[in-house]
Amino acid sequence: MKKVFCVGELLIDFVAENQGSDLSKAIKFTKKAGGAPANVACAISKLGGRGIFIGCVGEDPFGHFLLDVLKAENVDISLTQLSDTFTTLAFVSLAEDGERDFVFSRGADRELDYDPLLRKSFKDNILHLGAATALLGGPLEKTYSKYLFDALTKEMFISFDPNFRVDLWKDEEETFIKKCMPFVEKSHLCKFSLEEAQLISGIADPEQACDFMHEAGAKIITITLGAEGTLLSALGIKKIIPSIAVQPVDTTGAGDAFIGCLLHQISDLGNFDPVFEQFDLLEKMVAKANKAGALTTTQYGAIAALPTKEQLEP
């Protein structure tokens, strides 16, 4: 089984449950572990895979809480760094349909330093670049790009999820698009929401947006469509893979559960050739990943809601 290195933020989600979607009206918050790449690492490990988290947290009670959560999910945290800067926080408010409003208070995640010794561990493994904060500047952004280069030289399978957050990129969308394109061009697998695919491609039709991404260099593209399922585009074929029906209470982490489940299945293949040759195999993998994403929406919090291997069995 291949290792999956997940690079980016690990943070505290302060979740205002049952308060509606207006964060300004929230009164009580529950502390949850979050951060897209950390969620993905947990999703992989919870399914029995080898999830490795690479990121930075504060040398404070919140940072130690987060590391304890990842350890409890059997995530390898040996590459996580500690900083004097406070742990990054996100305040999340949920509506009845599970949609969310949130605000970031950015801290230690931006301080991740590049470790050149990691290249020795990269050979023939998987690198997932799915951070919401990685392109916002600071050491993390430089580290992100350096690990992409290392992944290319070490023949890794590269996965990219832009994780666009409108509150982080207000009036800076063009900058976001420009910074995303090198990762789209060089990744084997790109996972987008419909909003992200439309934003980055500048094309409203999702199938045409896929064509744009393929022309840029992406080999396999998934566009998650919520309850409708996922548009899978690869090997010249496009198909919507349906999801399962659920009653969502919190969509936080659903996309991370999806890509984590998909990467776990790819890591379990032994070699990557089949995903570039067999659309039927990809279709089965995406269907299972859809189920993982859907089940995650039925509970509050991201990591706590991630499904187990047993929950995904037919």
Side-chain angles (χ1 to χ4, degrees):
M1 185 181 292
K2 305 289 189 182
K3 298 176 181 178
V4 186
F5 295 86
C6 303
V7 185
E9 74 272 5
L10 172 59
L11 52 82
I12 300 287
D13 282 324
F14 281 107
V15 182
E17 297 177 13
N18 302 317
Q19 297 290 333
S21 60
D22 187 349
L23 192 56
S24 68
K25 297 179 181 178
I27 299 172
K28 296 180 180 179
F29 293 84
T30 302
K31 181 181 66 178
K32 304 278 188 179
N39 293 343
V40 174
C42 287
I44 292 163
S45 294
K46 205 164 185 177
L47 293 172
R50 303 175 71 183
I52 301 172
F53 176 71
I54 303 174
C56 185
V57 297
E59 179 68 271
D60 56 39
F62 289 143
H64 290 292
F65 162 76
L66 291 169
L67 295 180
D68 287 343
V69 170
L70 264 60
K71 283 192 287 187
E73 300 295 345
N74 296 314
V75 172
D76 185 336
I77 59 169
S78 61
L79 302 176
T80 305
Q81 299 172 10
L82 293 172
S83 170
D84 291 336
T85 304
F86 66 90
T87 297
T88 299
L89 310 175
F91 297 85
V92 186
S93 188
L94 303 170
E96 289 183 2
D97 61 0
E99 286 305 312
R100 61 194 188 275
D101 179 24
F102 58 90
V103 172
F104 273 103
S105 178
R106 197 179 186 201
D109 80 277
R110 75 185 301 276
E111 304 300 333
L112 180 68
D113 290 322
Y114 171 67
D115 182 358
L117 297 179
L118 276 184
R119 284 178 292 190
K120 297 178 181 178
S121 304
F122 276 4
K123 180 69 175 175
D124 295 327
N125 284 304
I126 297 174
L127 179 69
H128 177 62
L129 299 166
T133 64
L135 304 179
L136 291 169
L140 173 59
E141 182 168 354
K142 296 176 181 177
T143 297
Y144 214 58
S145 295
K146 288 178 179 178
Y147 283 144
L148 173 64
F149 178 80
D150 287 346
L152 292 167
T153 61
K154 292 298 183 179
E155 299 178 325
M156 298 185 84
F157 183 93
I158 303 169
S159 166
F160 176 61
D161 179 351
N163 263 306
F164 176 72
R165 300 288 185 263
V166 64
D167 289 326
L168 301 180
W169 293 98
K170 284 181 179 177
D171 302 320
E172 295 289 342
E173 288 85 358
E174 289 302 319
T175 301
F176 174 79
I177 295 167
K178 184 178 180 180
K179 289 187 174 186
C180 279
M181 286 311 298
F183 296 92
V184 174
E185 292 165 2
K186 295 175 176 64
S187 296
H188 301 101
L189 168 64
C190 288
K191 178 261 174 194
F192 304 104
S193 66
L194 179 58
E195 177 191 19
E196 289 164 347
Q198 292 170 333
L199 174 67
I200 294 172
S201 68
I203 301 169
D205 180 77
E207 293 197 4
Q208 292 180 21
C210 285
D211 291 336
F212 174 89
M213 304 295 186
H214 284 309
E215 289 174 9
K219 304 292 189 299
I220 303 166
I221 296 169
T222 61
I223 300 178
T224 53
L225 305 171
E228 188 179 349
T230 299
L231 174 60
L232 170 63
S233 181
L235 299 166
I237 304 170
K238 296 183 182 69
K239 184 175 181 179
I240 292 181
I241 315 302
S243 187
I244 61 170
V246 295
Q247 186 64 44
V249 297
D250 179 7
T251 60
T252 305
D256 303 326
F258 169 88
I259 192 63
C261 182
L262 184 54
L263 290 174
H264 168 61
Q265 294 174 82
I266 294 171
S267 74
D268 215 13
L269 290 175
N271 73 82
F272 305 128
D273 292 342
V275 297
F276 299 119
E277 299 168 353
Q278 303 174 34
F279 187 87
D280 289 349
L281 175 63
L282 280 172
E283 184 177 349
K284 291 177 183 177
M285 288 179 165
V286 169
K288 189 173 184 178
N290 279 346
K291 185 175 182 180
L295 289 175
T296 302
T297 70
T298 63
Q299 297 183 54
Y300 287 109
I303 292 173
L306 294 167
T308 63
K309 186 176 183 179
E310 290 71 26
Q311 288 176 285
L312 296 182
E313 294 301 324

